[in-house]
Amino acid sequence: MSKHHDHKGEEKSRFRTPWLDDSSEAPLVHQYAEKLTTFMDAMADGKIDKHELRDQEARVVALMKKIEPQLDPDLHEEVTHLLCELTAYNVMHTIHGILDAAPKTKFRG
């Protein structure tokens, strides 16, 4: 994995972190997120509080402010579309995981 996550002031790696698994073409974002120290610390107690959510938002905003000005208009639109699709995928992935983990028996009252 590249050195881009959770490291401030570190030299940029020339290695490109792949977005997709070579064999399945599945997005690798969830696996990378699970390796983020800030994510693991927030998830440690099994709940996300307002402070943790606010801190994550601040990290996202900082990255957006850093990256957005570097994008030409066409690439900006493509990345915007990617971020929207990725957000939808993450929400769907999370809901699927929650529902998949729910008990499979039906209440019979």
Side-chain angles (χ1 to χ4, degrees):
M1 186 147 119
S2 76
K3 300 177 183 180
H4 73 277
H5 65 285
D6 280 2
H7 299 284
K8 293 182 177 137
E10 189 173 286
E11 219 177 282
K12 286 184 182 179
S13 171
R14 293 200 182 271
F15 176 77
R16 284 178 64 131
T17 303
W19 290 357
L20 302 172
D21 179 87
D22 286 338
S23 59
S24 69
E25 293 193 350
L28 297 171
V29 175
H30 284 99
Q31 289 90 326
Y32 297 147
E34 290 171 355
K35 293 178 183 176
L36 292 173
T37 305
T38 52
F39 175 74
M40 295 306 295
D41 290 347
M43 294 299 293
D45 61 1
K47 60 184 177 185
I48 302 296
D49 64 33
K50 289 179 186 179
H51 179 261
E52 292 165 330
L53 187 59
R54 186 181 66 241
D55 289 350
Q56 182 62 32
E57 181 178 314
R59 286 188 292 277
V60 169
V61 168
L63 284 167
M64 287 178 150
K65 286 181 176 182
K66 176 182 173 184
I67 294 167
E68 186 179 28
Q70 300 176 49
L71 303 175
D72 67 55
D74 291 336
L75 186 55
H76 182 276
E77 288 309 304
E78 293 290 330
V79 171
T80 299
H81 187 82
L82 170 63
L83 291 171
C84 291
E85 292 290 349
L86 182 59
T87 299
Y89 173 74
N90 286 337
V91 170
M92 293 168 68
H93 187 273
T94 300
I95 291 171
H96 175 76
I98 291 168
L99 295 176
D100 200 41
K104 304 295 185 242
T105 58
K106 292 185 180 180
F107 174 73
R108 298 175 194 258

